[in-house]
């Protein structure tokens, strides 16, 4: 009989969520570095260079890789011979202990993590302030240990989760290849696709999520195939999807190139004869998870990586354009073309969903806005709280498509530029052209790097919205890429990706099921 002490468990969970906030798994770093080395698309290569640089900086500074420090997800395999020492607190459940660990991790004063979890999601949507409750998956298994996986899953990638009930004769590969273009770039590739097949709808989704907790090992599987060893159906599906998804050309941050996925994971489960449940969940460029085991001997010992695990890479190119946003007007935006890399200096505003809705509602009531948008740029961001001498905590972009429905109204107030991540809808590109504005992207997964370009920050409006308040940032050499020019031309062409998907689907599979 193994006795697990309550505080050992809680502290281990707390330490794990702090750990994964600033340490990428080494296999992920290695996979991105390999992709960076072989990439021929300069925009995609620059994006991966920023991701790697940001990862190294976060490891050194013990600050979050991404401003979206995620929903806390915990998988527990609890041995049947485990007993819990609750130290007299007999009312505390295992989930209570997990939530206390999450609470301590996200409220750690040395490295506070952004709280993103809301109660009453249907109506009031009030922030719990400590990122609880966690999503906990528990299994009781043979043995006398507790195996724990802690993962922080960002909203951008979670929002791109897909599910389908296929007919038994339908092709999983065809569904995946048709679905990936629909996901756009909001999940911040390059990353990992997790696929769950079988069971019931909820089981397939859980399998897809659990598969993302495994190490990147696609090269080992490729070597097995090349050796002539027999492959099972899961292995064949993984290899086919790895090759064909990368052939679609989505690329890093949706900018095109050779690498969209670093691995494809698949878990399956027996299912009803009439069913074929398939779920797909991506892991983003802020892949964060760790596995540890408690055996009654105290807290989990989490390995401290060596700084040599991170490569030193470069990003940017010789034709970077330095821009003072304070001097820009609609008449001067025509000098920028899609794909141009800019280094922004000057003063920009911030605002996400809640701030945009507030402004649109005020305008509908005939009220004056609390900020002047004339000739301004707005950055779609919800930063982490600052610590020490920081001006602002990690401050990477959020998914811009969530602001699409507000764009026409806000641009009509004189705004000339927007900064975010991922594509804009074709209709929004037309709106941008109508107003003669532009849209720029920062790299999702490079939040700490971006924050270093922010030299000043003050709240201008809606302070009660917390990280969704409207700030004014003073920036110096903030790296961005022109994604939609003032004519409405977009660097993100997912219509072309969808056309390519049809061609790839028609190609013969390499590893026959």
């Amino acid at each position: 009989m193994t006795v697990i002490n309550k505080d050992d468990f809680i502290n281990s969970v707390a330490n794990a969520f702090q750990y994964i906030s600033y340490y990428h798994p080494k296999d992920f770093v290695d996979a991105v570095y390999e992709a960076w080395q072989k990439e021929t698309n300069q925009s995609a290569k620059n994006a991966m260079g920023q991701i790697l640089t940001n990862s190294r900086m976060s490891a050194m500074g013990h600050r979050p890789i991404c401003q979206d420090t995620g929903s806390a997800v915990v998988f527990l395999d609890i041995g049947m011979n485990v007993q819990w020492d609750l130290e007299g607190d007999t009312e505390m459940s295992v989930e209570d202990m997990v939530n206390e660990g999450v609470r301590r991790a996200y409220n750690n004063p040395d490295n506070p993590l952004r709280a993103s979890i809301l109660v009453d999601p249907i109506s009031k949507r009030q922030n719990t302030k400590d990122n609880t409750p966690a999503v906990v998956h528990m299994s009781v298994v043979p043995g006398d240990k507790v195996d724990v996986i802690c993962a922080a899953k960002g909203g951008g990638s979670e929002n791109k989760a897909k599910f389908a009930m296929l007919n038994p004769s339908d092709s999983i590969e065809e569904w995946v290849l048709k679905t990936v273009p629909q996901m756009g770039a909001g999940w911040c590739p390059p990353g990992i696709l997790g696929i769950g097949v079988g069971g019931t709808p909820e089981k397939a989704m859980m399998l897809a999520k659990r598969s993302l907790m495994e190490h990147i090992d696609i090269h080992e599987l490729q070597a097995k195939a090349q050796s002539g060893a027999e492959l099972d159906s899961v292995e064949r599906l993984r290899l086919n999807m790895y090759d064909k998804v990368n052939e679609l050309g989505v690329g890093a941050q949706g900018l095109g190139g050779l690498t969209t996925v670093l691995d494809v994971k698949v878990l399956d489960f027996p299912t009803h004869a009439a069913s074929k449940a398939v779920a797909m969940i991506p892991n983003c460029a802020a892949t964060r998870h760790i596995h540890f085991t408690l055996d009654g001997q105290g807290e989990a010992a989490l390995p401290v990586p060596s700084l040599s695990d991170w490569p030193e890479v470069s990003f940017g190119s010789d034709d970077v354009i330095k821009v003072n946003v304070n001097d820009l007007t609609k008449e001067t935006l025509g000098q920028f073309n899609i794909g141009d890399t800019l280094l922004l200096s000057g003063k920009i505003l911030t605002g996400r969903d809640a701030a945009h809705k507030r402004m649109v509602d005020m305008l509908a009531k005939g009220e004056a806005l609390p900020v002047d948008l004339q000739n301004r740029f707005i950055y779609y961001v919800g930063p982490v709280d600052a610590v020490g001498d920081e001006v602002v905590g990690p401050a990477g972009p959020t998914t811009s498509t969530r602001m699409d429905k507000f764009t026409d109204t806000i641009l009509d107030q004189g705004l000339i530029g927007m900064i975010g991540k991922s594509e804009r809808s074709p209709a929004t590109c037309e709106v941008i052209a109508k107003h003669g504005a532009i849209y720029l992207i920062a790299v999702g997964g490079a939040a700490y790097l971006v924050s270093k370009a922010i030299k000043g920050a003050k709240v201008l409006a809606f302070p009660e919205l917390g990280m969704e308040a409207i700030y004014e940032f003073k920036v110096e050499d903030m790296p961005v890429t022109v994604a939609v020019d003032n004519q409405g031309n977009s660097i993100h062409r997912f219509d072309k990706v969808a056309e390519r998907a049809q061609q790839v689907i028609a190609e013969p599979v390499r590893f026959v099921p």
Side-chain angles (χ1 to χ4, degrees), residues 13 39 45 53 215 218 252 254 294 321 360 371 406 426 433 436 477 483-484 498:
V13 170
E39 185 56 70
K45 189 179 185 75
T53 301
H215 290 295
I218 195 69
L294 296 177
I321 304 170
V360 168
V371 291
F406 306 117
D477 293 340
V484 180

Side-chain angles (χ1 to χ4, degrees), residues 35-224:
W36 177 84
Q37 289 176 302
K38 68 182 183 182
E39 185 56 70
T40 57
N41 178 310
Q42 191 58 50
S43 295
K45 189 179 185 75
N46 289 345
M48 287 189 284
Q50 290 188 46
I51 289 167
L52 289 167
T53 301
N54 180 78
S55 181
R56 191 173 193 272
M57 290 172 61
S58 294
M60 294 173 64
H62 284 195
R63 292 293 275 142
I65 294 164
C66 180
Q67 81 289 340
D68 183 351
T69 49
S71 298
V73 180
V74 179
F75 290 91
L76 298 174
D77 288 338
I78 303 172
M80 294 178 68
N81 294 324
V82 165
Q83 183 176 346
W84 297 93
D85 177 7
L86 299 179
E87 299 177 336
D89 193 352
T90 56
E91 298 301 314
M92 180 169 266
S93 69
V94 173
E95 286 198 45
D96 291 337
M97 289 187 281
V98 169
N99 285 326
E100 179 58 27
V102 170
R103 186 173 295 111
R104 293 181 188 181
Y106 279 75
N107 286 335
N108 187 313
D110 295 326
N111 180 38
L113 308 180
R114 199 184 80 184
S116 301
I117 300 303
L118 312 178
V119 292
D120 192 5
I122 296 172
S123 178
K124 295 181 181 179
R125 299 180 64 84
Q126 294 177 331
N127 199 301
T128 64
K129 307 295 186 182
D130 56 16
N131 224 54
T132 65
V135 176
V136 183
H137 302 281
M138 284 188 285
S139 297
V140 179
V141 299
D144 57 2
K145 298 177 181 179
V146 178
D147 284 320
V148 184
I149 298 174
C150 292
K153 200 67 170 59
S157 59
E158 288 291 83
N159 289 346
K160 299 301 181 178
K162 302 294 181 182
F163 173 80
M165 288 299 296
L166 302 182
N167 293 318
S169 60
D170 290 342
S171 166
I172 296 171
E173 294 180 359
E174 183 174 342
W175 178 79
V176 170
L177 292 170
K178 286 182 176 179
T179 303
V180 167
Q182 300 171 17
M183 291 163 55
W187 60 282
C188 287
I192 302 155
L193 287 184
I195 299 174
V197 181
T200 51
E202 78 280 7
K203 182 66 174 181
M205 292 298 288
M206 193 279 291
L207 291 169
K209 180 66 67 66
R210 182 68 183 250
S211 74
L212 293 171
M213 306 298 114
E214 299 176 0
H215 290 295
I216 295 172
D217 64 352
I218 195 69
H219 295 322
E220 295 174 22
L221 187 53
Q222 289 172 327
K224 179 180 178 180

Side-chain angles (χ1 to χ4, degrees), residues 265-288:
K265 298 296 187 182
V266 179
L267 289 176
D268 64 355
F269 192 84
T271 192
H272 191 283
S275 302
K276 198 173 192 177
V278 183
M280 180 165 61
I281 303 177
N283 236 358
C284 62
T287 291
R288 295 162 295 195

Side-chain angles (χ1 to χ4, degrees), residues 173 177 244 247 500-510:
E173 294 180 359
L177 292 170
K244 290 197 168 189
E247 287 176 22
R500 177 62 182 149
Q502 293 300 325
Q503 299 170 7
V504 174
I505 288 169
E507 295 172 0
V509 295
R510 179 178 173 188

